Amino acid sequence: MSGLFDRFGFGRREVALRPARAADAEAMARLHAASFRLGWDSAEFERLLANRLARAWVATRGPSGAVLGFILLSGVSPEIEILSIAVAPSARGHGVGRRLVEAAFGALAAEGFTAVFLEVEEGNRAALSLYARSGFREIGRREGYYRTGTGQPAAALTMRRDIA
Ligand SMILES: CC(C)(COP(=O)(O)OP(=O)(O)OC[C@H]1O[C@@H](n2cnc3c(N)ncnc32)[C@H](O)[C@@H]1OP(=O)(O)O)[C@@H](O)C(=O)NCCC(=O)NCCS
């Protein structure tokens, strides 16, 4: 697969993970805009990261390199919800999303969280694969909750993964 990983020769081991900080808001907003039709701007990410209910991690190229992906969650123990997860288009398909989810699970379980929820558009194949591989199961469905790029209604699937 071409892209950032191949061009720079980065593999799984060169991707580092750490908790997100306020200074990551701009990079997170850029990734979000590259990944979703309705982007959240950096002010929105700053606000979200400052919220005491938020938990977020970033994947970087090497320990101090560019942000390649993030996961952002919010919740009150023992339950928490994934608000957003995104990986740079050029870095997708190399396990970065999976590592972000796993890093979040480990840290959240240590904090006492026992269940993670999320909502995903039924046509989002990459996200559905990631969540299935990460142990999420479908627990509900909201018909017509999303609009696809062509304006068609699409269901939202609600998923849950127990981490305790
Ligand atoms: C969803 C997303 C975060 C996945 O990140 P990623 O780093 O590419 O995912 P990974 O490489 O860790 O792949 C995780 C699993 O999903 C599978 N997968 C990833 N992309 C896939 C695709 N396009 N089609 C099918 N399966 C796919 C992988 O094979 C992998 O399974 P494996 O561990 O058995 O090999 C990424 O595609 C993305 O940013 N998408 C846009 C934003 C988005 O839709 N976020 C989710 C909103 S609910």
Side-chain angles (χ1 to χ4, degrees):
M1 185 180 288
S2 66
L4 191 150
F5 272 69
D6 294 340
R7 268 189 280 127
F8 295 94
F10 284 103
R12 235 179 118 81
R13 280 196 307 275
E14 286 74 20
V15 174
L17 282 97
R18 61 167 171 77
R21 37 190 186 239
D24 296 317
E26 205 175 315
M28 291 168 77
R30 268 200 304 274
L31 283 181
H32 194 276
S35 303
F36 298 99
R37 280 192 298 283
L38 294 174
W40 300 346
D41 64 15
S42 59
E44 181 69 7
F45 273 98
E46 270 174 40
R47 191 186 64 74
L48 286 162
L49 290 171
N51 191 307
R52 69 180 176 83
L53 302 184
R55 301 288 184 279
W57 287 266
V58 292
T60 57
R61 192 195 311 154
S64 54
V67 175
L68 300 172
F70 72 84
I71 184 167
L72 172 68
L73 307 96
S74 176
V76 177
S77 187
E79 296 181 346
I80 193 158
E81 180 184 3
I82 298 180
L83 297 183
S84 189
I85 177 169
V87 171
S90 58
R92 289 179 192 163
H94 294 272
V96 176
R98 184 84 177 264
R99 285 187 60 192
L100 281 163
V101 170
E102 283 166 7
F105 283 174
L108 291 166
E111 245 195 278
F113 286 93
T114 60
V116 182
F117 293 83
L118 62 84
E119 235 167 40
V120 57
E121 186 179 317
E122 65 175 342
N124 190 340
R125 248 183 84 223
L128 286 171
S129 298
L130 167 64
Y131 298 143
R133 295 290 194 193
S134 304
F136 281 89
R137 64 186 166 82
E138 187 180 325
I139 55 163
R141 184 183 171 91
R142 292 176 179 169
E143 295 299 340
Y145 185 81
Y146 293 110
R147 294 276 152 195
T148 67
T150 56
Q152 301 303 308
L157 308 183
T158 308
M159 306 186 93
R160 173 186 181 130
R161 158 84 205 259
D162 294 317
I163 56 172

